Amino acid sequence: MGAHEGGPPEGLLVVGVDIGNSTTEACLAVVAPDGSITYLGTDLTRTTGVKGTPDNTEGALKAIRGALARAGRSAGQVETVLLNEATPVISGLAMETITETIITESTMIGHNPTTPGGEGLGVGTTRSIGELGEQQPGEPVVCVVPHGWDFDDVAATLNAAVAAGVDVVAAILAGDDAVLVTNRLTRPIPVVDEVSAVEKVPLGMLAAVEVAAPGRTIRTLSNSYGLATVFDLDPVQTRQVSPVARALTGNRSAVVVRTPTGDVTDRRIPVGELVLHGAGKTLRVDVDAGAEAIMEVVGRAQPLDDARGEPGTHVGGMLAQVRDTMADVMDVAGQPDVPPSEIAIRDVLAVDTFVPAEVRGGLAGEVALENAVALAAMVRTSRSRMQLVADLVSEGLGAAAEIGGVEGEMAVGGALTTPGVDRPIAVLDLGGGSTDAALLTREGECTAVHVAGAGELVTKLIDSELALGDREVAEGVKWYPLGKVESFFHLRHEDGTVEFVNEPLPPHVFARVVVLTPDGPAPVPTRHGLDHVRRVRREAKRRVFVVNALRALRQVAPGGNLRALEFVVLLGGSALDFEIPDMIADALAPHGIVCGTGNVLGTEGPRNAVASGLVRAHAALVAEEARCRSS
C-alpha cells in the first residue's frame, strides 16, 4: 500500500503489530476522531526470538520502520503502537515406529540397486564363483561373487563355466558391476549387485534371484504364493514368508535364500498407552492402535488438561522428549525453573505415517517402510511477557506502546476487512506449530482455540516418508509444485502438461523429479516417481491441515455443529500454499460453508489480519469515546 493521496489525513498515526511464532507483521494507519480508518502501509519480517519474550522487540521495530518507510512517514509522527496479547503456544513433535521387520539367519536380500543387470527369474543353489570349476553340469547354480573381483574376470569365469556345461542361472555381486558383467555374458542371466555383506550369503542353499525390466517391478518374489511355488512351501511356511514378499514389493530386483531355520518376522513393537486427562475423566488408548483411534479418544477428552505416556514405553519417551524441549523453550521465554514433569500438554495430534527403517538381519542395508505414529503436542505457557516487549518498543521508537487486544479476537477483526464476508465469521490461522480457530458471533462474542500440528509437522512427514534426510528439500517439496525433467528442453508438470524451455536445463536435473521453485527446477533426491512424491505431499497436508481444520472448527462452532458456521476465512503463512486452501474448502463444502483464503484490507491476502484487527479495535474505542463526549 502506498501513502495516502491528497495530503496527510487528519487524525492519529497508529501501528498495529502482530508478533507470531514465525513472522512479525505491522499495519500503519491514520485513525480519525470519528473512528474512521485510512490504511497507509504494511510490513512483514521474521520474528526475532521466542514469541512473547523481550527478544521480539528487534523484529517488531523492524516491521514498524518498514511500514513507516513505505508510507513516507517518520517514527516521530507515531502516536500509539498496538501489540497483540498472545499466550505463547509451544509445539513439539515426536515420531515412533510401531512395526519392525527382522530377518533371522539372513534369508533375504531385498535391496534395490540402481542398475541391476539382465532380467528374469533364476532359481538354483548358491555357489561361490571360485567353486564353479568343481560344479557338476546340470544342477542350476546361483553364483556368489565376493569383493575384489574385476567385472572382466567375473564375466570370463561365468562364460567358461557355461561353456563347460554348468547351468548358471543368476549371480549376486558385491561390487557395482551388474550391467558391465551382463554385457559380456554369452548367456543373459539376472544379476543383482551392491550386496555389501555378500560374505553372509549362505552357500549350498536354494536361492531365487529376480530382476525386472527397466521401469517395472518384480512379480514373483514379491508375491507370497510366488515364493511358495519357487521354494515348494506348505501353508504354514507360506504364512511365515509373507513379510518377505511384503518387504520386496515395489523393488526392481531381489534375492531370497531359503535356509533351514531362517525366518523373517514382522513384529509389532509395544509402544504403550497414551493417558489423557480432560473433561473430568481419564481415558487411555494404545498408540499402536493408530492415529484414528487416538484422535477419537482425544475428541472425547476435550478440553484436554494433560496427556501422559506410560513410563518405560515408547510413548512415554516420546512425550518426555516433547516436554524436555518445551521446558528449554519456556526457559528462554522467561519462565525458568518449570520442571518438565509439571508442563501440561493441552492438545495432541496423532498422524499415521511410514518411516524407512533398516531391516535387522538384512545383507545389503535393506530398508522396509515401517508403520509409525507421529505425535504433535502443544502447551500453553502460563503468562506472557508482552507488556515488557511493549515497553521496549516504546523506548526504541519514542512513542507510546500498549497491548491492544487478544490475538484470536484481533484476527477475526482483521478477517472482516476481506471483501464479501460478514458475521458470524470463523477464521483458521494456519501456522507453523499450531492451527488456530476463532469464531465471532453475530452478537460480537468471540471464542478461540489452538490445536497442535501445522506446517512443521507436514515438513517432517514428507521428510520421513520420502527418506530425504534433509529438512530444506522437504520444505521445498511442501511449498512448490513438482515436475519431471524429460529432456534438456522440456519437462512434464505434475498435472500432466508439458512445458518447453528456450534455454537447456542444467544437467544435474536431467531425468529427475524436481520441485519448480522461483529460482528454477531443484532436484528431489529420491528414487520415487513423480506421482508417489505428489501423493505423499498431499496426504501429509490432508492428515494435518484438513484434520486440524475440522476439529478446530468443531470446537468453536455452536454445539460442535459445522453447519452453524457460515463464513470461514483462512489466514496465516500456510494459507498461501498452492493447494491447502482448496483441500480445506473441499472438506467444508458438504457442510454448506463459504470457505476461502482471506484478503485482508482487500490487498494483503491472508497476511496482516491480527495487525489490521488491532487498528480496527483501537478505532472502535476512539469512535466510542467520541460518541460519549458528544452525548
Side-chain angles (χ1 to χ4, degrees):
M1 266 184 228
H4 177 78
E5 296 176 9
E10 292 182 13
L12 305 175
L13 196 63
V14 299
V15 190
V17 179
D18 169 26
I19 299 172
N21 287 304
S22 305
T23 57
T24 297
E25 299 169 350
C27 176
L28 181 70
V30 171
V31 177
D34 63 353
S36 60
I37 307 167
T38 305
Y39 293 103
L40 302 182
T42 63
D43 198 47
L44 169 81
T45 187
R46 290 202 69 79
T47 296
T48 50
V50 176
K51 177 178 173 179
T53 68
D55 290 344
N56 299 157
T57 308
E58 182 187 339
L61 289 171
K62 186 178 177 183
I64 293 167
R65 290 178 179 134
L68 286 167
R70 286 188 177 193
R73 298 301 184 94
S74 66
Q77 294 175 282
V78 176
E79 180 73 23
T80 308
V81 176
L82 307 158
L83 281 83
N84 58 315
E85 172 57 84
T87 307
V89 175
I90 302 166
S91 298
L93 292 172
M95 197 177 285
E96 196 63 66
T97 53
I98 56 176
T99 59
E100 182 179 35
T101 303
I102 303 169
I103 306 173
T104 57
E105 307 226 354
S106 300
T107 56
M108 174 183 76
I109 303 171
H111 81 134
N112 224 357
T114 314
T115 50
E119 63 181 85
L121 175 70
V123 181
T125 306
T126 51
R127 294 276 185 260
S128 172
I129 190 169
E131 300 172 1
L132 284 184
E134 307 158 18
Q135 183 66 31
Q136 295 299 316
E139 183 190 5
V141 171
V142 173
C143 181
V144 179
V145 183
H147 292 278
W149 277 72
D150 181 73
F151 62 87
D152 262 333
D153 296 337
V154 173
T157 306
L158 293 177
N159 287 333
V162 169
V166 177
D167 186 13
V168 179
V169 295
I172 303 169
L173 311 184
D176 182 13
D177 299 329
V179 174
L180 295 171
V181 170
T182 50
N183 286 345
R184 289 161 174 76
L185 294 179
T186 53
R187 191 177 85 181
I189 57 171
V191 180
V192 170
D193 59 3
E194 298 180 58
V195 178
S196 51
V198 72
E199 68 281 355
K200 292 183 183 175
V201 175
L203 299 177
M205 300 290 175
L206 189 62
V209 176
E210 185 176 8
V211 175
R216 295 181 175 271
T217 58
I218 56 171
R219 300 292 301 274
T220 305
L221 301 186
S222 60
N223 172 4
S224 300
Y225 305 119
L227 286 170
T229 306
V230 167
F231 295 113
D232 193 22
L233 305 178
D234 62 32
V236 174
Q237 292 168 321
T238 304
R239 181 185 291 277
Q240 286 178 335
V241 299
S242 66
V244 174
R246 205 162 57 248
L248 299 181
T249 301
N251 282 9
R252 191 186 153 199
S253 64
V255 178
V256 176
V257 184
R258 188 179 179 201
T259 58
T261 55
D263 192 14
V264 176
T265 56
D266 183 14
R267 74 182 181 103
R268 266 186 120 58
I269 301 168
V271 182
E273 281 189 329
L274 187 62
V275 183
L276 303 166
H277 306 283
K281 51 196 169 192
T282 299
L283 301 173
R284 296 172 178 270
V285 60
D286 269 319
V287 173
D288 59 10
E292 201 172 315
I294 294 170
M295 294 314 296
E296 192 266 328
V297 175
V298 168
R300 284 172 23 218
Q302 292 287 1
L304 199 62
D305 295 327
D306 197 11
R308 299 272 161 179
E310 200 179 335
T313 64
H314 283 308
V315 69
M318 286 166 82
L319 291 183
Q321 174 192 329
V322 170
R323 280 194 165 85
D324 288 342
T325 305
M326 293 180 178
D328 293 341
V329 174
M330 289 171 75
D331 193 18
V332 173
Q335 299 181 54
D337 307 324
V338 179
S341 59
E342 288 182 20
I343 294 175
I345 291 176
R346 293 304 171 89
D347 190 58
V348 171
L349 173 68
V351 178
D352 286 325
T353 183
F354 297 99
V355 177
E358 194 162 312
V359 176
R360 280 174 53 190
L363 297 187
E366 291 90 348
V367 168
L369 277 177
E370 305 291 3
N371 292 312
V373 171
L375 283 186
M378 185 190 75
V379 300
R380 206 175 296 180
T381 54
S382 57
R383 60 195 170 91
S384 166
R385 303 180 72 199
M386 208 58 90
Q387 187 55 55
L388 180 54
V389 177
D391 295 341
L392 291 169
V393 167
S394 175
E395 188 182 313
L397 201 68
E402 61 188 54
I403 306 299
V406 178
E407 194 167 22
E409 295 177 16
M410 297 303 106
V412 175
L416 279 170
T417 66
T418 294
V421 303
D422 197 5
R423 298 182 190 184
I425 178 177
V427 299
L428 278 171
D429 189 349
L430 311 173
S434 67
T435 302
D436 308 333
L439 173 70
L440 183 69
T441 64
R442 216 177 292 278
E443 294 74 35
E445 294 174 14
C446 188
T447 53
V449 296
H450 307 274
V451 296
E456 278 298 321
L457 179 56
V458 172
T459 303
K460 185 162 185 172
L461 291 175
I462 292 170
D463 193 17
S464 74
E465 292 188 22
L466 294 177
L468 298 173
D470 187 326
R471 187 192 174 284
E472 290 305 312
V473 174
E475 193 75 11
V477 171
K478 178 179 81 174
W479 270 108
Y480 302 113
L482 297 162
K484 176 74 181 282
V485 176
E486 297 186 338
S487 79
F488 287 119
F489 288 95
H490 86 280
L491 58 87
R492 187 174 299 276
H493 290 269
E494 63 178 65
D495 64 356
T497 57
V498 175
E499 179 186 353
F500 291 88
V501 294
N502 295 324
E503 297 295 322
L505 293 161
H508 70 278
V509 301
F510 178 68
R512 301 288 295 275
V513 174
V514 294
V515 286
L516 302 172
T517 72
D519 300 324
V524 181
T526 178
R527 289 181 178 180
H528 296 296
L530 175 67
D531 290 342
H532 179 83
V533 178
R534 178 178 184 269
R535 186 166 59 249
V536 166
R537 181 196 73 210
R538 287 182 61 85
E539 271 299 291
K541 290 176 179 178
R542 186 193 63 76
R543 285 176 290 169
V544 175
F545 281 113
V546 175
V547 167
N548 263 351
L550 293 172
R551 72 189 188 103
L553 289 172
R554 282 196 179 99
Q555 289 181 44
V556 297
N561 179 15
L562 291 179
R563 288 195 171 276
L565 303 176
E566 292 184 32
F567 298 98
V568 172
V569 178
L570 305 179
L571 305 172
S574 294
L576 292 166
D577 186 273
F578 69 100
E579 59 189 351
I580 289 171
D582 292 344
M583 294 169 84
I584 294 175
D586 287 346
L588 294 177
H591 303 281
I593 297 170
V594 179
C595 174
T597 305
N599 190 14
V600 177
L601 306 178
T603 59
E604 299 301 310
R607 296 285 194 188
N608 218 263
V610 174
S612 306
L614 286 163
V615 171
R616 277 173 59 94
H618 184 75
L621 287 174
V622 169
E624 184 63 34
E625 287 171 8
R627 276 196 299 275
C628 291
R629 282 197 301 271
S630 63
S631 60

